[in-house]
Amino acid sequence: AQTMDEMWDSSVSGKANPNLKWFKEAKFGMFIHWGLYAKLAGEWKGKRYYGSGEWIMSQARIPVAEYKEVAKTFNPIKFNADEWAQLAKDAGIKYMVITAKHHEGFSMFDTKVSDFDIVDATPYKKDPMKALAEATRKRGIQFGFYYSQFQDWYEPNGGKNSWDFDETKKDYQKYYREKAIPQLKELLGNYGPLGIVWFDTPGGMTKEQTLNFVNDLRVLQPKSLFSSRVGHGLGDYRDFGDSEVPDTPIKGAWESIYTHNDSWGYIKHDMNFKTPAEIIRLLANVASKGGNLMLNVGPDGEGNIPEYSVKFLKETGKWLDKNGESIYGSTYGLIPAQPWGVSTSKPGKQYLHVMRRPLDGKLLIPDFKGKVAKVYNLVSQQQLSWKNTGKDIWIDLPVFEADAANTVVVVEYSGKIDDYDLKVPITVSGQYP
Ligand code: H79
């Protein structure tokens, strides 16, 4: 019989992808949205747009002919692949996924399939993806591409663009045949081993067509993991909706995606960056449900990662340097979420992520069935006193100033403690809730 993990992980081939191990252990990824929209920075003809910078072509109903002109001004001379990869490394990030082509239809890589790409259509004339693939690999970071396989607002036959082309006259199969598939073959063929191929907003294909599409690409990179937004419940691991964490632990390989401020693509007037404390807590929260957090940054049109992203990610990395044991390689906590925070697990250990210290310093673990052996602060290794009231465990928690955002307390125990009655959710991925 299949385990619940395998039921989800086996949706494509009938067998779980054997390459999920690194992904399940990774816990923290970096998403990068970078395209022509970064140059527009959330403004078109003097009007500011909010929400999602990468949607400006749609929000402002920019005709293809005008959008094409933006490419002539896109010259990200500040782009430095080693700096980006080093930032990821310093932040404790284990994998990176960058937009090779978003819905705008512009290719951020060298392609023979279209002229609307960074090498042919901009003064920059170089392929930044080549450099980034190398810089990440050099640092042991898994590298992957986001590719908008259906939506392409630049192409007469691309999905979902109702302001410039007639939706009823579109031949989606022609678009898949002539652009999406050949470009994906370039991406899978020309950039070395890819950890992930991240699809988004599926459409225009039946389940059988999607299966053929996936199998066709898989030949090129059998070890790559395909995200569930390839559609029809297919894919090697599951993505939740944009900025969504499930309420209860979920088994199998999955990921929550969030962005650092309120936009995926760069918007110059969006200063609502999550603080290091917020990132650390979000990461712990996602890990406590058993998933990975892929956090997005949106570099600007010059190729700079916003200074707050740089600063705050480095701070996050400092916390992970000391507390990484409680995150990397962990699974969902067996202690349900409490008023003080959440937990993550490793064999014989529960890591308590204390984000709100009880004011009386008494930390409650209700109904703990295991036999507690030792309780200590992860960073200082200072042992903490605790008592067992027969039903509950009460831990004496001093004030730890150093890691106020999230103080990790380790509970070592023996014996079996309750597991959740976990179900594989029936929601099909690749859809927006
Ligand atoms: O790449 C990011 C989004 O652009 C993409 N998925 C993430 C990873 C995405 N594609 N479609 N959607 C998300 C859902 C569409 C949301 C919308 Fe809107 C709401 C489109 C129009 C209203 C957000 C807010 C975008 C423009 C305004």
Side-chain angles (χ1 to χ4, degrees), residues 206-254:
T206 63
K207 180 160 186 171
E208 203 192 341
Q209 284 169 329
T210 308
L211 208 49
N212 290 337
F213 170 85
V214 165
N215 289 337
D216 214 27
L217 295 173
R218 210 178 271 298
V219 178
L220 295 168
Q221 293 241 11
K223 288 191 170 175
S224 288
L225 303 176
F226 291 5
S227 80
S228 58
R229 290 192 191 172
V230 70
H232 293 287
L234 304 174
D236 296 311
Y237 71 87
R238 181 163 184 230
D239 263 292
F240 283 87
D242 294 355
S243 315
E244 189 193 14
V245 190
D247 294 334
T248 56
I250 305 281
K251 283 196 176 179
W254 61 271

Side-chain angles (χ1 to χ4, degrees), residues 31 33 52 54-55 59 102-103 146 200-201 229 242 257 264 432:
F31 210 179
H33 275 64
S52 292
E54 73 284 4
W55 273 76
Q59 288 175 309
H102 204 270
H103 309 337
Y146 169 111
D200 203 4
T201 67
R229 290 192 191 172
D242 294 355
I257 56 166
W264 304 93
Y432 292 93

Side-chain angles (χ1 to χ4, degrees), residues 75-336:
N75 194 13
I77 50 170
K78 299 279 177 58
F79 167 74
N80 183 324
D82 280 300
E83 272 175 31
W84 288 18
Q86 192 57 41
L87 170 64
K89 190 79 187 169
D90 293 345
I93 274 164
K94 304 293 186 191
Y95 63 101
M96 179 187 283
V97 174
I98 184 164
T99 49
K101 188 204 77 170
H102 204 270
H103 309 337
E104 65 177 357
F106 181 74
S107 305
M108 288 292 286
F109 61 102
D110 189 14
T111 175
K112 294 199 174 69
V113 180
S114 167
D115 292 333
F116 192 47
D117 71 296
I118 191 159
V119 177
D120 295 321
T122 77
Y124 187 66
K125 293 191 182 2
K126 292 186 284 284
D127 181 345
M129 301 298 156
K130 266 257 141 72
L132 204 54
E134 281 164 25
T136 45
R137 215 161 281 139
K138 211 160 72 189
R139 291 167 176 82
I141 296 168
Q142 294 274 356
F143 182 71
F145 288 121
Y146 169 111
Y147 188 88
S148 175
Q149 78 274 29
F150 173 58
Q151 288 200 66
D152 190 314
W153 304 328
Y154 183 81
E155 301 297 334
N157 293 304
K160 290 191 190 165
N161 164 359
S162 48
W163 66 93
D164 222 13
F165 300 114
D166 186 348
E167 199 71 34
T168 61
K169 296 212 175 73
K170 286 184 179 181
D171 180 350
Y172 297 141
Q173 295 315 312
K174 186 170 155 67
Y175 158 76
Y176 273 113
R177 225 171 30 241
E178 293 180 359
K179 188 168 180 183
I181 295 172
Q183 284 208 320
L184 280 158
K185 287 188 172 168
E186 290 179 327
L187 290 168
L188 285 146
N190 301 342
Y191 296 86
L194 300 180
I196 290 175
V197 185
W198 215 95
F199 298 98
D200 203 4
T201 67
M205 278 199 283
T206 63
K207 180 160 186 171
E208 203 192 341
Q209 284 169 329
T210 308
L211 208 49
N212 290 337
F213 170 85
V214 165
N215 289 337
D216 214 27
L217 295 173
R218 210 178 271 298
V219 178
L220 295 168
Q221 293 241 11
K223 288 191 170 175
S224 288
L225 303 176
F226 291 5
S227 80
S228 58
R229 290 192 191 172
V230 70
H232 293 287
L234 304 174
D236 296 311
Y237 71 87
R238 181 163 184 230
D239 263 292
F240 283 87
D242 294 355
S243 315
E244 189 193 14
V245 190
D247 294 334
T248 56
I250 305 281
K251 283 196 176 179
W254 61 271
E255 172 184 76
S256 281
I257 56 166
Y258 274 80
T259 187
H260 198 177
N261 49 9
D262 293 329
S263 174
W264 304 93
Y266 179 71
I267 291 188
K268 62 179 183 297
H269 43 272
D270 182 347
M271 280 294 127
N272 193 22
F273 291 92
K274 290 169 189 65
T275 61
E278 287 171 317
I279 299 170
I280 290 161
R281 289 169 173 177
L282 181 60
L283 179 62
N285 191 25
V286 176
S288 80
K289 306 297 193 315
N292 291 358
L293 170 67
M294 182 158 74
L295 183 70
N296 178 75
V297 298
D300 68 18
E302 258 71 68
N304 304 298
I305 294 181
E307 61 172 304
Y308 289 104
S309 290
V310 173
K311 191 165 173 291
F312 291 179
L313 282 168
K314 283 185 177 169
E315 285 292 313
T316 304
K318 282 186 199 156
W319 183 89
L320 275 165
D321 269 348
K322 294 182 288 177
N323 294 279
E325 184 196 319
S326 68
I327 300 285
Y328 302 121
S330 71
T331 55
Y332 56 85
L334 293 173
I335 298 163

